[in-house]
């Protein structure tokens, strides 16, 4: 870091705040299985962070079946939203968001997911009030790894990109954060060594609990109580 604490935090959603990748894997596997093909964890891992449109394109390119993006993306989202009650927050997510709120630190959510999916997840965990801005992949011309989504989030918060810390779990997201000129905190799923994270992120950490400590976010101290009535 530059030596200054961040003036704002920008969070990814899927895989970072919410343990959603297992559900996404199931949804895309079912989509491919209905067409006679097997979508593996390895296939899915290469698409993490790039958004649904990129994942759908990858299924078509790998297996050769035709897709209708608008129709098929809507169907994938419907399947995901139908199972959103089974999602869980990542360890440390609620605590980090609460600490940021207590410290008066502005926060934004910047997810490649469509707005209606983001809304369903935020409602599931009652998290919408935690964010002063929510930016979707619907809102930008170029998805991650382009920096567009993070730059838009910073502008919505009114904070210069260099004073923002972005928290991401995917290589596409980390690449986008670096291109945006932000402090990049990578919290990958599993070991990050040899996957390209260390070359791009300011720090790689195993959990949001570790990120909380690294960022050093603490609520301002309460004023000391007067020892007697009338004392200043």
């Amino acid at each position: 870091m530059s030596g200054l604490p961040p003036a704002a935090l920008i969070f990814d959603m899927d895989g970072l705040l919410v343990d959603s990748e297992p559900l996404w894997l199931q949804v895309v596997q079912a989509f491919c299985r209905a067409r006679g093909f097997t979508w593996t964890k390895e296939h899915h891992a290469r698409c993490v962070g790039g958004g649904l449109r990129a994942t759908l394109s990858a299924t078509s390119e790998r297996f050769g079946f035709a897709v209708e993006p608008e129709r098929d993306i809507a169907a994938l989202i419907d399947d995901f939203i139908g199972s959103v009650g089974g999602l869980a927050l990542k360890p440390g997510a609620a605590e980090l968001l609460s600490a940021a709120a207590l410290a008066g630190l502005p926060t934004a959510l910047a997810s490649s997911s469509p707005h209606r999916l983001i809304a369903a997840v935020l409602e599931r965990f009652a998290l919408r009030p935690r964010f002063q801005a929510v930016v979707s992949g619907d809102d930008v011309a170029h998805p991650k790894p382009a920096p567009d989504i993070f730059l838009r989030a910073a502008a919505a918060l009114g904070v210069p990109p260099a004073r923002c810390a972005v928290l991401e779990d995917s290589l596409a997201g980390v690449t986008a954060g670096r291109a945006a000129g932000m402090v990049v905190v990578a919290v990958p799923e599993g070991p990050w060594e040899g996957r390209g994270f260390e070359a791009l992120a300011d720090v790689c950490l195993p959990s949001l609990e570790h990120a909380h400590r690294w960022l050093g976010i603490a609520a301002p101290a309460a004023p000391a109580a007067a020892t007697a009535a009338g004392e200043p």
Side-chain angles (χ1 to χ4, degrees):
M1 295 180 71
S2 64
L4 293 172
L9 300 181
I10 301 177
F11 292 86
D12 178 44
M13 185 178 76
D14 289 310
L16 187 280
L17 288 177
V18 181
D19 191 16
S20 54
E21 291 308 332
L23 178 55
W24 272 124
L25 174 61
Q26 293 173 27
V27 167
V28 180
Q29 282 179 328
F31 175 84
C32 293
R33 189 164 53 248
R35 290 155 177 78
F37 298 95
T38 300
W39 183 252
T40 67
K41 289 182 179 180
E42 291 71 28
H43 298 151
H44 195 72
R46 288 192 282 272
C47 298
V48 169
L52 271 180
R53 192 170 295 273
T55 299
L56 185 65
S57 295
T59 66
S60 178
E61 291 168 8
R62 174 160 292 277
F63 302 125
F65 55 69
V67 297
E68 294 184 23
E70 299 309 317
R71 178 200 67 190
D72 294 335
I73 287 173
L76 290 169
I77 292 171
D78 288 342
D79 289 347
F80 186 92
I81 290 175
S83 300
V84 77
L87 293 177
L89 288 176
K90 287 281 196 171
E95 293 80 3
L96 178 52
L97 289 170
S98 294
L102 287 171
L105 198 60
T107 57
L109 188 74
S111 169
S112 296
S113 294
H115 271 296
R116 71 186 184 96
L117 190 150
I118 293 172
V121 173
L122 293 181
E123 182 180 357
R124 159 75 176 87
F125 298 106
L127 287 180
R128 182 60 186 89
R130 292 297 194 194
F131 298 103
Q132 288 71 60
V134 173
V135 184
S136 159
D138 293 339
D139 300 324
V140 295
H142 305 103
K144 304 171 189 178
D148 301 33
I149 196 166
F150 291 136
L151 293 174
R152 183 162 182 144
L157 294 176
V159 177
R163 296 298 317 282
C164 295
V166 59
L167 292 94
E168 265 285 356
D169 69 298
S170 72
L171 190 59
V174 166
T175 303
R178 173 57 60 224
M182 299 178 177
V183 173
V184 181
V185 180
V187 188
E189 183 70 30
W192 56 79
E193 293 85 352
R195 296 166 59 192
F197 285 96
E198 291 165 303
L200 294 166
D202 289 272
V203 65
C204 296
L205 299 168
S207 72
L208 289 174
E209 295 158 323
H210 289 80
H212 188 169
R213 292 194 290 272
W214 189 83
L215 289 164
I217 299 169
T227 55
E231 287 190 14

